[in-house]
Amino acid sequence: MKGLEKLVDRYPRSGPLVSVPIHPHQHAFQAGKSTESALHQLAGKIEKALDAREYSLGVFFDIEGAFNNTSCKSIRLALDEWKVHRSIRNWIITLIAHRTILVKAETFIIMVTVSCGLPQGGGLPPILWSLVADSLLKWLSKQGIFAQGYADDGAVLICLRILSTICDIMQRILHDIEQWCSGTELSVNPNKTEMVLLTR
């Protein structure tokens, strides 16, 4: 099973992700990218806006329990979008939807069947999460909004000179992020969400 999992893990990197790369503003799980590259990119946008005497309104959010709560439906849709071969896609879905977790403590044994979430360890779960999260980054970019991801964390930045307009746009964007979460059966963690306003 381990050998097959490694093969399936290698397939997206050498196949679908070559022809349709992950959004360039996703800084996790990719060679040459890190928290430093994410911070550099975001700081550069803010500095440019401040030099232009614009307000910068940023929202930093966390997808709650992303790796534990990602549904098979969301993964299937992402794999379909990337045109992953049907046999590989079915194997991945079967792996995720029919897992059994065994916990043994002294004389007790607990066995649970898991039907959602991504298995821990290995290189495949981070790729699968990146594929799911990519749809949000792409949609936000199409709205003309600067958006950035790092694994299950995200940032949205709006830079304009009129504060009321920025607030109106951000309110709409946050509503749309909530809608995306609802569609993927995920949610934003309110305790790890912050809004920051910067001005010169």
Side-chain angles (χ1 to χ4, degrees), residues 2-3 8-9 18-19 32 52 71 79 94 102 106 114 119 134 136 156 178 182:
K2 285 290 182 184
V8 172
D9 171 32
V18 173
S19 53
S71 68
L79 294 173
T94 301
L102 182 71
E106 296 179 6
V114 182
D134 199 73
L136 178 60
V156 177
E178 186 179 12
S182 177

Side-chain angles (χ1 to χ4, degrees), residues 6 13 22 28 36 65 69 91 96 129 140 144 148 151 155-156 180 189 195 199:
K6 285 181 181 177
R13 299 175 197 273
I22 289 174
E36 288 185 13
N69 299 322
W91 186 89
I96 292 166
W129 168 251
L140 289 169
Q148 188 179 73
V156 177
W180 179 86
N189 186 339
M195 184 178 291
T199 183

Side-chain angles (χ1 to χ4, degrees), residues 136 139-140 143 145 168-183 188:
L136 178 60
W139 184 85
L140 289 169
Q143 310 311 303
I145 302 299
D168 289 343
I169 294 171
M170 185 61 84
Q171 187 172 12
R172 176 176 58 83
I173 292 300
L174 292 178
H175 173 74
D176 290 335
I177 291 173
E178 186 179 12
Q179 291 294 105
W180 179 86
C181 285
S182 177
V188 170

Side-chain angles (χ1 to χ4, degrees), residues 46 49-57 160-161 163 166 196-200:
I46 293 171
L50 294 178
D51 287 344
R53 303 281 178 182
E54 294 179 334
Y55 291 100
S56 292
L57 181 62
L160 288 170
R161 290 191 175 181
L163 185 57
I166 290 180
V196 179
L197 176 66
L198 296 171
T199 183
R200 173 156 294 197

Side-chain angles (χ1 to χ4, degrees), residues 58-64 152-156 170 174 177 181 187-196:
V59 171
F60 304 86
F61 60 92
D62 170 86
I63 303 297
E64 192 166 22
D152 54 354
D153 293 319
V156 177
M170 185 61 84
L174 292 178
I177 291 173
C181 285
S187 61
V188 170
N189 186 339
N191 296 322
K192 293 184 178 179
T193 299
E194 292 191 27
M195 184 178 291
V196 179

Side-chain angles (χ1 to χ4, degrees), residues 12-194:
R13 299 175 197 273
S14 59
L17 292 180
V18 173
S19 53
V20 184
I22 289 174
H23 195 284
H25 292 178
Q26 173 61 264
H27 290 265
F29 317 125
Q30 296 188 72
K33 292 191 176 182
S34 64
T35 52
E36 288 185 13
S37 65
L39 185 59
H40 178 74
Q41 186 183 55
L42 184 64
K45 293 287 291 184
I46 293 171
E47 287 172 3
K48 186 177 177 181
L50 294 178
D51 287 344
R53 303 281 178 182
E54 294 179 334
Y55 291 100
S56 292
L57 181 62
V59 171
F60 304 86
F61 60 92
D62 170 86
I63 303 297
E64 192 166 22
F67 283 81
N68 292 330
N69 299 322
T70 302
S71 68
C72 287
K73 177 185 173 185
S74 299
I75 295 167
R76 184 181 291 277
L77 287 172
L79 294 173
D80 285 346
E81 186 175 334
W82 255 267
K83 299 192 172 21
V84 171
H85 193 278
R86 186 174 63 179
S87 60
I88 301 286
R89 182 194 65 204
N90 290 344
W91 186 89
I92 290 171
I93 296 300
T94 301
L95 171 71
I96 292 166
H98 299 94
R99 287 177 293 140
T100 301
I101 297 176
L102 182 71
V103 178
K104 186 176 181 181
E106 296 179 6
T107 58
F108 295 98
I109 296 177
I110 301 173
M111 188 177 292
V112 180
T113 300
V114 182
S115 59
C116 69
L118 298 168
Q120 301 299 312
L124 186 58
I127 291 176
L128 294 177
W129 168 251
S130 295
L131 296 182
V132 171
D134 199 73
S135 62
L136 178 60
L137 286 177
K138 283 181 177 173
W139 184 85
L140 289 169
S141 295
K142 286 179 182 176
Q143 310 311 303
I145 302 299
F146 175 81
Q148 188 179 73
Y150 189 86
D152 54 354
D153 293 319
V156 177
L157 183 70
I158 302 173
C159 303
L160 288 170
R161 290 191 175 181
I162 303 172
L163 185 57
S164 60
T165 302
I166 290 180
C167 292
D168 289 343
I169 294 171
M170 185 61 84
Q171 187 172 12
R172 176 176 58 83
I173 292 300
L174 292 178
H175 173 74
D176 290 335
I177 291 173
E178 186 179 12
Q179 291 294 105
W180 179 86
C181 285
S182 177
T184 53
E185 301 175 49
L186 294 165
S187 61
V188 170
N189 186 339
N191 296 322
K192 293 184 178 179
T193 299
E194 292 191 27

